[in-house]
Amino acid sequence: MTLSQEDPLTPVADDDRDAALRRVRDAYGQGHLSHEELEERIQRVLTARTRGDLGPALDALPAEPDSAATVLAAVGRIRRGRGWRVPRTLTVASAFAKVRLDLSRAVLEHPVVDIELRLGTGSARIVVPRDAVVELDAVVAPMKDTRYRARARTGADGPAGPRIRITGTLGFGRLTVRHARR
């Protein structure tokens, strides 16, 4: 669902504002906007209070590419570590694979990352950034309990980091999620 299809009176969320800013900057980078138009549209996005207010800033811009979704599928091991670009939506599918994803050393370009697991007998271990907020409500692992201990947040921690939403099923495997130590 795009912003224009949603209720225009809904307050603008940080994720919506970030997505709108990214879209305006991308359009400028592709030569669709002049420097003056860029400044005007950024100002509109930053001052928007409702989703309807974002409409004029996004009018006549090219549609967002649908390249934010990626599927990792393998029979063997699936491993991602230092420096990989994490897509907005990631699906990990395998009947037998051991999955190791280190998001703490990855390039996170999106404030929210959705990871869907479709694993048969394999297990998954995911390391998230120290300040990440993790949501595991929709994980189904009937054979083994999911292991995750939420990091205690204090007021001195500053704003929360990226939100990592993990969903899906693990047939016989276990999901282990932990925060990076540094």
Side-chain angles (χ1 to χ4, degrees):
M1 186 177 287
T2 64
L3 290 173
S4 62
Q5 296 170 326
E6 296 174 353
D7 182 7
L9 299 177
T10 302
V12 175
D14 289 340
D15 296 345
D16 297 330
R17 193 177 312 277
D18 291 342
L21 286 170
R22 191 169 32 257
R23 190 165 163 207
V24 169
R25 280 190 231 124
D26 288 348
Y28 174 73
Q30 295 168 3
H32 297 287
L33 298 174
S34 68
H35 184 72
E36 293 79 25
E37 289 175 306
L38 170 71
E39 289 178 0
E40 177 187 328
R41 288 179 188 240
I42 286 177
Q43 185 62 32
R44 283 187 180 186
V45 170
L46 293 175
T47 58
R49 293 181 183 259
T50 66
R51 289 188 175 157
D53 294 341
L54 286 176
L58 302 177
D59 285 345
L61 293 182
E64 261 186 302
D66 194 24
S67 63
T70 300
V71 176
L72 295 176
V75 175
R77 183 182 310 213
I78 297 174
R79 174 175 244 147
R80 295 290 183 272
R82 183 184 310 260
W84 69 291
R85 290 192 178 284
V86 179
R88 166 69 181 84
T89 303
L90 175 65
T91 301
V92 180
S94 179
F96 304 106
K98 235 182 184 174
V99 176
R100 301 291 180 259
L101 302 177
D102 187 348
L103 279 63
S104 70
R105 298 178 180 193
V107 178
L108 293 168
E109 297 173 335
H110 307 281
V112 178
V113 174
D114 290 313
I115 299 174
E116 180 185 3
L117 300 173
R118 296 184 201 158
L119 303 179
T121 60
S123 62
R125 182 175 188 169
I126 302 173
V127 179
V128 298
R130 183 177 168 92
D131 60 348
V133 176
V134 178
E135 297 175 14
L136 297 167
D137 300 336
V139 174
V140 178
M143 300 305 286
K144 296 184 179 179
D145 292 335
T146 296
R147 290 184 178 169
Y148 172 66
R149 184 172 54 213
R151 184 172 171 269
R153 298 193 55 80
T154 65
D157 285 344
R163 186 176 341 158
I164 311 297
R165 298 188 297 209
I166 303 172
T167 61
T169 58
L170 290 90
F172 294 101
R174 168 176 282 145
L175 171 61
T176 303
V177 179
R178 74 169 180 83
H179 289 271
R181 290 183 174 82
R182 319 175 227 157

